[in-house]
Amino acid sequence: MPPILKAFNFKNRYSTKRVGTVDTFKTFHILCEWTVTEPKYFKAIRNCNFLNVRNNIEVEILKRTESDKGRTQLSELFKLMKQYIDDNKLTDDDIPVLVVDFDAHKDNPNFIDEIKAIEAYGIKVFGNSPCFELWLILHIENALNTYILPNKTAIYHNDKISNVHTFTSSLASKILGFNTKYLIKPEILSGIYHAIDQSTELENDLYKLNKDIGTNLQFLIKEILRDERFTNDNN
């Protein structure tokens, strides 16, 4: 099996210690379920001039090889991350992370057990229900009341409506003005604090994200970004 590679990394660009720092240098190693939208989103954070990564934080986005791009089930991602951990001899200062969609787990009776098995290996799990496009929609001010809650049932079921889109990815593409299956426009990040704030109104318990729309991705973003609002936030 070919090794998982490091696609790119980003870390704090400032030499002086600022508000919201962490005491120990930590590296997040993030493996995304999908190979286009999510990595492009994290790359946009890296290149964004008005978002600052916390001091002593580095983020490695892992690149999927051609042979494993179709491996999207939790169990398969777990195997890939375990391989990466072993190959790279990660330490306690390394934080392995999976970023996944939970729409495929609505009827998975072993969902909680699978999550707990991954967590027991020291891997953090963050994701969205039904999919990453829900997180993108949350970047729009008042998206919760305007777009998400009125379509809550359709978003949760997230039926495929074309060769390219599910209901939620189509809705996100229409709202945001670009095809979220292939593209991330960096200007979407101007609404990242809308996403963080609005996400608190949706389900954010990881063990329940296969049964309701919601996200816990805000907790990962808050760990990465430096913002005085997060200084005393333990989430």
Side-chain angles (χ1 to χ4, degrees), residues 37-179:
T37 308
E38 291 93 328
K40 285 186 176 181
Y41 179 84
F42 286 107
K43 186 177 288 188
I45 290 178
R46 178 195 65 174
N47 294 332
C48 185
N49 292 325
F50 56 83
L51 293 179
N52 296 322
V53 177
R54 290 177 185 260
N55 285 325
N56 303 330
I57 287 289
E58 183 169 1
V59 179
E60 299 275 2
I61 303 299
L62 310 186
K63 182 180 180 181
R64 306 284 292 277
T65 62
E66 288 298 325
S67 64
D68 64 53
K69 282 184 178 179
R71 299 170 65 180
T72 59
Q73 291 298 312
L74 270 176
S75 58
E76 291 299 309
L77 294 172
F78 186 21
K79 290 177 185 176
L80 290 171
M81 183 56 89
K82 285 196 294 185
Q83 176 200 344
Y84 175 82
I85 291 170
D86 294 340
D87 289 348
N88 292 274
K89 298 179 173 57
L90 300 192
T91 70
D92 291 342
D93 292 332
D94 295 290
I95 304 173
V97 172
L98 297 181
V99 174
V100 299
D101 293 343
F102 295 120
D103 57 349
H105 297 278
K106 296 184 183 72
D107 300 314
N108 179 2
N110 301 314
F111 176 73
I112 294 177
D113 289 339
E114 289 184 27
I115 294 293
K116 287 184 175 180
I118 294 170
E119 292 179 320
Y121 205 82
I123 300 169
K124 291 191 174 187
V125 181
F126 298 95
N128 308 280
S129 176
C131 57
F132 188 70
E133 281 83 0
L134 176 72
W135 175 254
L136 297 181
I137 294 172
L138 286 168
H139 287 63
I140 302 299
E141 186 174 9
N142 203 35
L144 192 67
N145 294 317
T146 304
Y147 302 113
I148 295 175
L149 295 182
N151 293 292
K152 183 176 181 179
T153 299
I155 289 173
Y156 175 71
H157 289 294
N158 201 31
D159 293 331
K160 195 171 181 63
I161 61 173
S162 72
N163 292 333
V164 175
H165 285 297
T166 63
F167 176 86
T168 310
S169 68
S170 176
L171 180 64
S173 296
K174 291 175 182 176
I175 294 169
L176 297 171
F178 59 87
N179 189 335

